[in-house]
Amino acid sequence: MRDVAIVAYIEGQNTSATTLSPVEMIVPVVHEVLKRANVQRSDIDFWCHGSCDYMTGQPFSFVSAVDALGAWPPIMESHVEMDGAWALYEAWVKIQTGEANTALVFGNGKSSAGDMNRALTLQLDPYVVAPLWPGFRSLEAMGARAAIDAGTVTERQMADVVSRSLRDAADNPNVLAYGYRDADELLDEPMTANPLRAHDCPAMADGVAAIIITTADRALEMCDRPAWIRGIDHRIDFQNLGLRDLSRSNSAALASFHAGVTKDKVDVAELHATYSHHEIILAQSMGIDRSTTRMMPSGGALVANPLMAAGLARFGQAARQIFKGNADRAVAHAAQGACLQQNIVAVLEGN
Amino acid sequence: MALHRCAVVGVGQTNHTACRGDVSIAGLVREAVDRALLDANMTLADIDAIVIGKAPDMLEGVMMPELWLTDSLAASGKPLFRVHTAGSVGGSTAIVAAQHVMSGLHKRVLTIAFEKQSDGNAMWALSVPLPFSMPVHAGAGGYFSPIVRSYIRRSGAPSHIGAMVAVKDRTNALKNPYAHLHEDHWTLEKAMESPMLWDPIRFVETCPSSDGAIALVLASEDVADKMPGKKAWVHSTAMRSEPTMFAGRNQVSPRAGEMCAEDVFRKAGITDPLKQIDAVEMYVPFSWFEPMWLENLGFAPKDQGWRFVEDGVTEMTGALPVNASGGVLSSNPIGASGMLRFGEAALQVMGKAGEHQIDGARTALGHAYGGGSQFFAMWVVGSEKN
Amino acid sequence: MADDILRIRTPIGIDYTWSSGPGSVVYMRGLENGKLIGRRCPDCELVYFPPRNGICPRCGVLLAAEVEVGPRGTITTFCVVNVPFLGQTIKIPYVAATILLDGADIGMQHLIQECEAADVRMGMRVEPVWKDKSEWTPSLENILYYKPTGEPDADFDVYARHL
């Protein structure tokens, strides 16, 4: 395998409802991430991005995103109907074939354009489940209930996760949830989808995240302390909730194993935990000790969740901890699908 | 050249038709998958990773349907990847899957592309009206027809060329049991009388709307070498994109298509494509695109592609047979159409194309495009290792 | 018998909020006032009408200076539509044309009327027919259609690079 590193990360301003068009959201982020790596468009061998038509309500909505890239002369480019983290995976695979050395990947989403709680329900079995419009939040509440009943998660732990995320959010200018509250205060809040309270659910955002990855011969030109991708893997679980033990995530466990998470100490973890109980389930499934690993220093997806970009943002935020020297070994993770159905995990190292 | 070789060792497709009301989306997909696995003498348990592609999710009304299809593909615990690059998606998906092998990551990869248009309302799905804009296009034909008119004006092609391609592809489809349209009554005279839907595009010169799926099993060299059956070695793959529209853009022969062809031929060591390619499966949803792509791909000189058609070069018996399978003009499950081209190219070099086999085909090109003629995906496959 | 059920109908409805983006505001305000306002790319200096997403797709940069274009233009290419289309209120056959407005560097799509479909030509000069001013909104639909001006056709060379 070729050594590949994340060398630059930029996220656009997360907003609750932007009036920018998706293309206008992407252009400045692409320019910034190129500038951050000190490269030109012509230095990028491969471009890949993740987005979803059902977020904009337009078929082929990703097509206009190509306008943001200045794709002239024509470029080597691809698109995944997945979170941008999988766009990074496709680029990493492409680099492994030797057909590219440097790639720019991004994820973009305008969660505010439609009712995402409703739209995400369309991921379910179209014949027997989706027509019931269960609502995505309700499915996640079922997952939380299963974990609480199994004794792997407590409401107190969930409140602690939220409290810590709110505290960290104070240091991150790019969030949509504000104001520190301790766990006791949070537990006094009413339920919105029992056992979930409003703060257990993500702060939905419109946003863009972009990353540049490159091979060993150029990484140090683009970044003082690159975040080397030492392992990366993604796995999926059955969708049918009745076929899964919702108190854990098999696919996260497998991806974590194949990425090599537990081979050494994890300094920092940026997990794409969109609901508070996800963090606990993920850490347990992935073999991450939350008492010794710094969890989500960015505040995580609970405080800013731009759909289709939020997973890639975790990769970027984990890389930032390496760039800054705050961590030598970090874990990045993204998930999609109901109740942590599909998971991608990467181990990033500074040395 | 990539670091590791990759071969197509199994090809399976469904019967394509306007409405596969007898199966669910999952049933349609499994039909293709089971045939591909049978062809490769494998089961789902042998598969390391799955790469799925399809065109817009709105065609069936299922968001990211691969999440749901995990159950029917027994994919739990595996990597499952989803590609969407508009009409070229079938081709791009096969390329992403091949890269999973060419990178050395996996040894047995299943790749799938499908569309079940009859499960949704394609007209609604593809033309969600945007506020403040003027809707004039009238569907894909309305979009591509002005480009065809530009080609005719530039090249001086006579009006019967589109009809000739249509008759050829519909006739070829009679030899392909999986094709959607099996119409044995077409003659050039009759085709010329076919009504102009989107003048200069006649009804007979347009593709149908189909339900259908295709799956390919891709294997690494060590796995493929141990298999007794015929295989198609992936000699090269290429993708290129450019914006939908910009001032001065050549829409008739997009630069991205030319670059993609140059790249895929260069990597496969092909210096004289007309001589060295034995069969082409080209993405031709409107018949006029055959002469246009012949030029774009470098088989014919500029403005001369139509002469190849007129001289019968692209007939099954010609020097450069194009779409022996009947092509997109005879079956168009949108998201699957690109992979059908890639799979049919593989079948040709495997010698397994049945009645529409081109005798002695050793090297073939699979071609797909999408969006406003802006996304291109191609592969060259051969009967021997490159 | 439940065994006989092969298909069910499950309608899907989701409402979306669409924003044109600030890059299109000048163009839309122009339409509201009966003006055709495109924008120039600061890099390649070509003029886009409409200023699609506020971006020059070739250069990947935000469009800048406002430029009034048209109102007349040249048909670069066209389609004679003979198929009924969802929501279509126009009688078939009708002509959907790509029109290169004077001063713009990229064609836009609109209808051609007040002339037989068979008489429409590449290179034909056309001008807009506007709705009554009282009905104007920030939309290209303010223009009902384009009609021939009667000027001599433009030379092929003038619009050849816009095909």
Side-chain angles (χ1 to χ4, degrees):
Chain A
M1 292 285 119
R2 304 177 78 194
D3 285 331
V4 176
I6 297 177
V7 290
Y9 171 61
I10 291 288
E11 56 189 37
Q13 187 63 49
N14 287 317
T15 56
S16 56
T18 182
T19 55
L20 295 175
S21 69
V23 183
E24 288 166 322
M25 290 169 70
I26 295 164
V27 167
V29 178
V30 166
H31 286 207
E32 277 303 307
V33 79
L34 288 168
K35 204 191 290 176
R36 183 61 57 94
N38 197 24
V39 295
Q40 310 289 318
R41 269 200 296 257
S42 55
D43 290 306
I44 304 298
D45 306 319
F46 182 62
W47 306 69
C48 194
H49 89 278
S51 69
C52 174
D53 282 349
Y54 267 108
M55 290 194 62
T56 55
Q58 284 289 321
F60 303 116
S61 57
F62 70 92
V63 172
S64 66
V66 176
D67 290 356
L69 310 181
W72 191 260
I75 56 175
M76 199 150 78
E77 182 264 350
S78 187
H79 172 260
V80 296
E81 197 83 352
M82 305 180 88
D83 185 284
W86 277 269
L88 181 143
Y89 186 80
E90 183 176 332
W92 179 81
V93 172
K94 174 75 92 179
I95 291 174
Q96 294 306 329
T97 66
E99 293 192 6
N101 296 318
T102 304
L104 191 157
V105 299
F106 63 100
N108 69 294
K110 246 176 112 165
S111 310
S112 68
D115 178 348
M116 286 304 118
N117 187 44
R118 192 171 162 82
L120 286 165
T121 304
L122 292 174
Q123 292 178 352
L124 305 171
D125 182 325
Y127 304 107
V128 297
V129 187
L132 303 174
W133 295 98
F136 213 67
R137 192 183 303 116
S138 307
L139 300 177
E140 298 299 346
M142 287 168 65
R145 173 58 61 204
I148 290 170
D149 287 356
T152 52
V153 171
T154 67
E155 287 186 44
R156 164 70 56 178
Q157 284 177 318
M158 288 163 65
D160 283 338
V161 165
V162 175
S163 182
R164 189 205 65 227
S165 300
L166 289 169
R167 189 183 62 219
D168 288 332
D171 298 326
N172 182 349
N174 204 13
V175 299
L176 292 166
Y178 311 96
Y180 172 77
R181 285 184 295 166
D182 66 27
D184 288 332
E185 282 177 84
L186 293 169
L187 286 169
D188 283 341
E189 293 284 326
M191 299 282 188
T192 50
N194 193 327
L196 298 179
R197 297 171 171 84
H199 54 249
D200 292 310
C201 306
M204 299 300 280
D206 300 345
V208 182
I211 278 178
I212 293 177
I213 60 175
T214 193
T215 48
D217 47 338
R218 293 208 62 190
L220 286 168
E221 292 169 25
M222 298 187 203
C223 181
D224 293 339
R225 192 167 195 259
W228 296 99
I229 300 171
R230 295 299 184 207
I232 184 166
D233 194 84
H234 71 104
R235 302 281 157 159
I236 197 163
D237 280 309
F238 289 127
Q239 178 178 73
N240 190 321
L241 302 187
L243 292 174
R244 292 196 259 158
D245 173 359
L246 299 180
S247 68
R248 53 173 280 113
S249 173
N250 276 332
S251 55
L254 274 170
S256 173
F257 172 77
H258 288 284
V261 167
T262 55
K263 282 181 187 164
D264 205 344
K265 178 171 166 289
V266 178
D267 300 325
V268 167
E270 279 283 348
L271 310 185
H272 188 195
T274 42
Y275 293 81
S276 59
H277 65 284
H278 284 179
E279 175 180 317
I280 303 152
I281 292 175
L282 284 168
Q284 286 168 356
S285 300
M286 293 168 64
I288 293 172
D289 181 350
R290 296 197 307 131
S291 65
T292 56
T293 295
R294 175 74 168 99
M295 302 299 289
M296 274 79 102
S298 68
L302 274 176
V303 296
N305 187 40
L307 274 179
M308 312 314 282
L312 186 66
R314 305 279 70 74
F315 280 63
Q317 290 289 356
R320 263 187 194 169
Q321 295 298 321
I322 304 272
F323 296 163
K324 287 195 251 173
N326 294 349
D328 289 327
R329 194 162 187 272
V331 169
H333 160 270
Q336 60 181 24
C339 301
L340 299 167
Q341 188 196 349
Q342 191 172 19
N343 295 274
I344 181 167
V345 177
V347 172
L348 308 178
E349 290 181 3
N351 303 305
Chain B
M1 204 195 100
L3 302 173
H4 302 266
R5 288 196 174 94
C6 170
V8 181
V9 296
V11 181
Q13 61 182 296
T14 62
N15 291 64
H16 312 295
T17 185
C19 176
R20 283 296 305 272
D22 58 322
V23 286
S24 64
I25 297 168
L28 185 79
V29 167
R30 272 306 292 263
E31 196 172 298
V33 166
D34 290 351
R35 286 174 181 172
L37 289 169
L38 187 68
D39 192 31
N41 195 25
M42 288 188 197
T43 69
L44 278 172
D46 296 315
I47 298 298
D48 302 328
I50 301 175
V51 183
I52 298 189
K54 73 174 298 298
D57 294 358
M58 285 168 193
L59 283 177
E60 289 89 0
V62 191
M63 178 182 188
M64 302 153 81
E66 62 284 357
L67 293 169
W68 162 62
L69 289 169
T70 301
D71 300 15
S72 50
L73 291 168
S76 181
K78 291 181 181 174
L80 182 144
F81 199 88
R82 163 69 194 283
V83 179
H84 179 12
T85 62
S88 62
V89 65
S92 315
T93 304
I95 290 175
V96 173
Q99 285 172 349
H100 278 65
V101 176
M102 293 161 113
S103 59
L105 271 180
H106 296 294
K107 292 186 178 298
R108 296 171 192 84
V109 174
L110 175 67
T111 185
I112 307 164
F114 71 95
E115 205 73 72
K116 196 155 188 284
Q117 299 189 54
S118 71
D119 261 28
N121 181 335
M123 201 57 141
W124 177 87
L126 295 179
S127 35
V128 182
L130 273 180
F132 311 121
S133 64
M134 181 72 199
V136 297
H137 269 146
Y143 183 87
F144 289 111
S145 144
I147 299 173
V148 167
R149 183 179 299 277
S150 300
Y151 172 71
I152 294 171
R153 172 69 178 79
R154 268 187 194 179
S155 67
S159 166
H160 63 267
I161 295 298
M164 281 189 78
V165 173
V167 172
K168 168 183 71 79
D169 283 2
R170 294 284 156 77
T171 306
N172 288 353
L174 296 172
K175 296 188 162 97
N176 178 359
Y178 299 109
H180 176 172
L181 298 180
H182 285 127
E183 300 172 341
D184 58 6
H185 55 272
W186 287 110
T187 61
L188 182 58
E189 292 69 34
K190 277 193 188 162
M192 290 291 284
E193 286 162 17
S194 176
M196 284 288 188
L197 285 196
W198 294 282
D199 191 339
I201 297 179
R202 298 179 180 89
F203 176 57
V204 67
E205 297 166 2
T206 66
C207 55
S209 286
S210 318
D211 285 354
I214 173 164
L216 308 175
V217 179
L218 306 176
S220 59
E221 186 173 13
D222 54 333
V223 170
D225 278 345
K226 288 188 198 112
M227 297 175 64
K230 294 167 178 165
K231 44 220 96 152
W233 294 95
V234 179
H235 287 190
S236 63
T237 68
M239 284 166 74
R240 286 294 184 282
S241 309
E242 69 182 49
T244 317
M245 48 182 74
F246 57 84
R249 174 169 186 244
N250 184 342
Q251 297 189 75
V252 174
S253 189
R255 184 74 191 110
E258 295 172 355
M259 282 176 70
C260 193
E262 288 159 13
D263 194 27
V264 83
F265 290 143
R266 181 185 56 76
K267 286 192 278 197
I270 287 169
T271 49
D272 185 350
L274 187 55
K275 228 182 232 161
Q276 290 169 272
I277 296 287
D278 304 317
V280 181
E281 282 286 336
M282 188 189 275
Y283 201 103
V284 179
F286 299 100
S287 59
W288 278 97
F289 275 82
E290 180 175 300
M292 287 161 66
W293 292 146
L294 283 171
E295 296 172 26
N296 188 250
L297 290 165
F299 289 114
K302 185 169 180 293
D303 298 336
Q304 302 298 311
W306 63 270
R307 292 186 194 276
F308 279 46
V309 175
E310 193 163 54
D311 296 344
V313 174
T314 58
E315 303 263 352
M316 272 188 72
T317 51
L320 185 76
V322 174
N323 292 329
S325 65
V328 183
L329 275 181
S330 306
S331 318
N332 187 30
I334 301 180
S337 287
M339 196 181 288
L340 280 166
R341 308 281 69 70
F342 279 44
E344 287 285 350
L347 285 173
Q348 288 293 344
V349 300
M350 293 161 102
K352 287 166 48 167
E355 267 194 83
H356 64 281
Q357 177 68 45
I358 304 297
D359 287 338
R362 296 177 68 245
T363 311
L365 172 72
H367 162 274
Y369 84 97
S373 302
Q374 64 187 124
F375 301 114
F376 293 86
M378 303 174 195
W379 80 5
V380 170
V381 284
S383 54
E384 307 297 327
K385 287 181 192 177
N386 46 322
Chain C
M1 284 285 288
D3 297 354
D4 299 334
I5 295 176
L6 277 175
R7 296 173 79 80
I8 51 166
R9 203 177 133 74
T10 59
I12 293 168
I14 302 174
D15 292 327
Y16 289 92
T17 307
W18 185 81
S19 40
S20 63
S24 301
V25 167
V26 169
Y27 153 78
M28 289 166 72
R29 289 288 173 223
L31 288 169
E32 206 172 21
N33 295 302
K35 286 189 190 321
L36 306 175
I37 301 188
R39 298 181 70 191
R40 193 185 295 279
C41 171
D43 280 9
C44 67
E45 301 197 334
L46 297 174
V47 174
Y48 281 81
F49 181 90
R52 204 174 119 96
N53 296 310
I55 303 291
C56 172
R58 176 178 169 146
C59 304
V61 298
L62 297 170
L63 294 170
E66 299 159 23
V67 182
E68 188 166 351
V69 299
R72 292 187 169 191
T74 301
I75 294 177
T76 58
T77 182
F78 62 96
C79 166
V80 184
V81 181
N82 276 304
V83 269
F85 184 59
L86 190 79
Q88 189 186 77
T89 49
I90 315 143
K91 182 166 105 327
I92 56 171
Y94 71 91
V95 174
T98 304
I99 302 164
L100 183 66
L101 294 179
D102 296 347
D105 291 296
I106 186 163
M108 54 160 273
Q109 316 294 320
H110 221 294
L111 305 172
I112 307 298
Q113 303 266 281
E114 290 193 34
C115 126
E116 290 299 319
D119 293 335
V120 175
R121 302 174 299 275
M122 293 167 83
M124 188 182 237
R125 296 283 296 159
V126 291
E127 64 189 1
V129 175
W130 292 79
K131 278 184 187 167
D132 187 83
K133 203 170 177 177
S134 63
E135 296 174 50
W136 285 356
T137 62
S139 168
L140 203 51
E141 288 174 293
N142 290 356
I143 296 174
L144 288 165
Y145 53 83
Y146 278 74
K147 66 171 185 183
T149 63
E151 293 168 275
D153 287 358
D155 284 341
F156 183 59
D157 295 343
V158 174
Y159 58 88
R161 71 175 200 92
H162 296 282
L163 296 178

